[in-house]
Amino acid sequence: EEPIPVEEPPKPPPKSDLLVEKPWPQEHSLCLFGPRNGIRRCCEWFVRHPNFEMFILFIIIASSVSLAIDSPLLDPESPLEAQLTLTNYVFTAIFVTEALLKIIAYGFLFTERAYLKNGWNQLDFAIVLVSVTVIAAEVLDIEALAPLKSLRVLRALRPLRLVGRIESMKVIVATLIASIPAVMNVLAVYLFIQAVFAILGMQMFAGTFAMCTEDPTIATVEECVTAGNTWENPPGNSFDNFGSAMLALFLQTSGDLWETEMFQAMAAKGPGLAPVRNDYSPAALFTISWMFVGAFIALNLFIGAIVETFNSIAAETGAGSATMTGAQLQWVQTIKTAVLAKPMKGVPPPEGSMRMYIFKLVMSVNFDIFIITIILLNTLLMACKSYQFEDDAFISISGFEMTKGDAYNYAMRFFISVYYTEFALKIFSLGPIGYFSVGWNRFDFVLVCTALIDDLAADLTAYLPVPPFLLRVLRLLRIVRILRILKGVKGLRDLVTTIILSLPPVFNVCSLLALVMFIYAVLGMHLFATLVLQDNVESHANFQTVGNGMLLLLQSVTGDGWTLLLQDSLVQEESGLCTEGVDCGSWVAIPYFVTFQLFGTLVFLNLMVAVILENFTSLSEQNPDLVSPSDIDGFMEAWAELDPEANNKLPESMLPELIAKVPPPLGTFGEDDAANSARSIAKKLKVEKPGGLVKFADVLLALSLKRYVDKSDLPEPELRKLEKMVSTEVGKPKTEEEDFTA
């Protein structure tokens, strides 16, 4: 892999001076306010103030809460409905005022910083325009404007304004927008394949899925109609026309109850004939073929397009990684971590021969191996316990009989005694300050305390009302000790690091998904609040409140029976379920549920997969022979042993000892003849030694540089150039850039 020459990024062009007065109407907001106009500059100061943005954010959240409360089931004459109407007017007035202030400050359309030149402002303006239009139609009560009242349902889009004001959500939306070209190409391929299967399905199954709904035993359409019954298709599952066929195939693609549609196809006898069960029908091959082609191949192309776009954006924004080789990128990441790394305080060796002996014992590698072995055996023992475990008896080799429960308790007592002993030895040798200065020791102390509380539970219950559930939770915490294995196993640490690195972007995706679910729940409440309750849309899963709607959509986004929810939302008057006070379903349910599945399942859930894959790939692609950011922790721990006070300096003579304590690739710990190798590296190390002392950062960078020079194709001048560039970038103070989008 040839190293790519590193070029400094070009400087952005200078921004124009917008305070220079220009001839009318150039840079005149609304053709009235010039760049130096006092009113315009006052409005600009006002809308740029952080408190103004926080106020608007609060108003958006408050308006979203009012949307969640404003249910169609409320009595129009109730005081709550009147208050909600009034608050809607107030919120709309505030949003209109915000838009006017920004239009005056930046111009509406033709100025350099025009309000409508920003995409988020366009979204805000459209939502405000809808709100004003609906209020005008309601207040004026003109018959010609009556159809505009139906736009009231679009108020559910108000929470979308949060996206433009929360940076983490803007990043996710920018990724999705960037993936639109690739997704459109995939969509064209997918629709073509689906259309082919839809036409084929129409040729094979048109008119064959219908049956007599009142009496399924009737075999023909003529007999059903003669008996005064209804002959119709199952909801959402037919190939009678192209639209129905496309919908049926999409429902199968989601994997929800696809086997039901397959059995329906297998049972098909012919047009006008009721389906009859047939376990050996070759028609099953049609559905199976579509699942392979549509669900496993074509639909996953969407995932590939989104993941590829996400990785491309990450590469372009990740410290120039799109123009660097793997070794260059790993070196840049290492330097960034090394520049920011500081020596941490260690545990100073105690005074006294007894404490020193125990100190060396508990700090040794063999002691850690012993404790990890005990933890693994303890975990294995806990996994062996089962229901009524205490009542089973067994006989030992010596003939002594005891129950399995007694043996389990004796073994658990042994393990807990080991943990108590470990705590006592460490607190004695390290001292309280030294013991609690180590994170893993604090972790162990919490678990020791829970074990102690569990031991005293029998005595505590006599004096305090301790619930048994709490005691079971405390016992369960014992298994958390297995996390200590992470301390010594690098592979497991990398996996946990992947999870930790993925948490912020996954949280961002989940936040945006929750926002979309809230919008759909509000929209569903206005569309289906009065929908008749049935088998799937029932008393707990419905759209009568936003809370119930969120639960229903959570069920839908997991793919659990969402096609049944769609079928209940399509119920017709012929079913006889629609009575006074409740409504039948509507065709609107089809775009409602289909679009939510597209956004919720295909986009957001797979975006989480992209985030985790990107972080896992970045770790797995690192060259283990070269230094990576995770290797710096080992250096910091070794330095803390020799410099427990974190003075940032060590005598030059201690360099070999330091290198021998650091694990590879920075040091020689664990290697054959580690001491001699460490002395050899120390002699060749290019590090400044003023007064016979070496500094933390100098040694860390020198060891990293030597490893890259020895194990990579990158020349030393190239490495030093990258080091200088990254050090300057990390060390320089950040300046607040002017925000041209308000």
Side-chain angles (χ1 to χ4, degrees), residues 345-348 431-442:
K345 286 192 174 184
V347 181
I433 297 177
Y435 179 84
F436 288 105
S437 65
V438 180
W440 285 110
N441 289 344
R442 295 193 294 270

Side-chain angles (χ1 to χ4, degrees), residues 238-414:
S238 75
F239 287 86
D240 291 358
N241 55 65
F242 186 74
S244 299
M246 293 289 283
L247 176 61
L249 291 175
F250 178 78
L251 298 182
Q252 294 178 26
T253 303
S254 67
D256 181 34
L257 303 178
W258 70 273
E259 69 280 4
T260 303
E261 281 75 15
M262 181 184 70
F263 295 145
Q264 190 78 28
M266 294 171 64
K269 295 288 291 182
L273 300 177
V276 178
R277 176 170 175 170
N278 183 359
D279 294 341
Y280 303 99
S281 172
L285 297 176
F286 173 81
T287 305
I288 294 174
S289 300
W290 169 244
M291 289 301 296
F292 272 102
V293 176
F296 299 157
I297 299 177
L299 201 60
N300 283 318
L301 291 176
F302 285 98
I303 303 173
I306 295 174
V307 171
E308 178 61 26
T309 302
F310 181 86
N311 292 338
S312 299
I313 293 176
E316 292 172 0
T317 58
S321 57
T323 59
M324 291 185 180
T325 64
Q328 286 175 327
L329 177 59
Q330 189 169 338
W331 171 249
V332 167
Q333 294 171 342
T334 302
I335 292 301
K336 279 190 172 182
T337 307
V339 169
L340 298 174
K342 303 295 180 184
M344 60 182 184
K345 286 192 174 184
V347 181
E351 298 178 357
S353 57
M354 177 62 71
R355 289 186 64 194
M356 177 59 74
Y357 175 79
I358 298 177
F359 176 83
K360 292 181 178 179
L361 173 66
V362 298
M363 298 298 288
S364 65
V365 177
N366 292 334
F367 186 80
D368 282 342
I369 294 175
F370 169 73
I371 293 297
I372 289 176
T373 304
I374 291 295
I375 293 173
L376 290 175
L377 292 175
N378 189 6
T379 304
L380 181 62
L381 177 66
M382 294 177 68
C384 293
K385 192 174 182 180
S386 60
Y387 177 64
Q388 294 183 337
F389 184 80
E390 295 82 357
D391 299 333
D392 296 333
F394 71 94
I395 299 176
S396 65
I397 298 177
S398 60
F400 180 74
E401 182 177 325
M402 70 173 72
T403 65
K404 288 184 178 181
D406 292 337
Y408 177 85
N409 292 332
Y410 290 144
M412 289 300 298
R413 173 58 53 192
F414 166 74

Side-chain angles (χ1 to χ4, degrees), residues 212-215 218 221-231:
C212 195
T213 56
E214 291 83 357
D215 186 2
I218 297 178
V221 61
E222 291 81 4
E223 296 176 7
C224 181
V225 174
T226 302
N229 297 326
T230 304
W231 183 270

Side-chain angles (χ1 to χ4, degrees), residues 661-675:
K661 289 179 176 291
V662 179
L666 278 171
T668 62
F669 179 79
E671 295 182 354
D672 297 335
D673 200 11

Side-chain angles (χ1 to χ4, degrees), residues 603-659:
V603 176
F604 289 107
L605 293 187
N606 288 308
L607 198 56
M608 295 184 195
V609 176
V611 168
I612 297 174
L613 282 178
E614 197 273 335
N615 286 310
F616 184 79
T617 302
S618 64
L619 285 177
S620 61
E621 288 182 348
Q622 290 180 347
N623 188 342
D625 292 331
L626 302 178
V627 183
S628 62
S630 60
D631 297 320
I632 295 178
D633 292 338
F635 177 84
M636 295 174 65
E637 293 175 2
W639 184 280
E641 289 186 33
L642 302 179
D643 181 22
E645 298 299 328
N647 293 320
N648 200 32
K649 296 178 182 179
L650 281 179
E652 176 188 355
S653 59
M654 298 183 69
L655 265 180
E657 183 180 358
L658 171 67
I659 297 173

Side-chain angles (χ1 to χ4, degrees), residues 99 122 208 254 262 278 341 491 511 592 664:
Q122 294 171 12
T208 62
S254 67
M262 181 184 70
N278 183 359
S511 300
Y592 177 86

Side-chain angles (χ1 to χ4, degrees), residues 120 170-182 309 313:
W120 299 111
K170 288 172 66 175
V171 172
I172 301 298
V173 173
T175 301
L176 296 178
I177 293 175
S179 65
I180 287 178
T309 302
I313 293 176

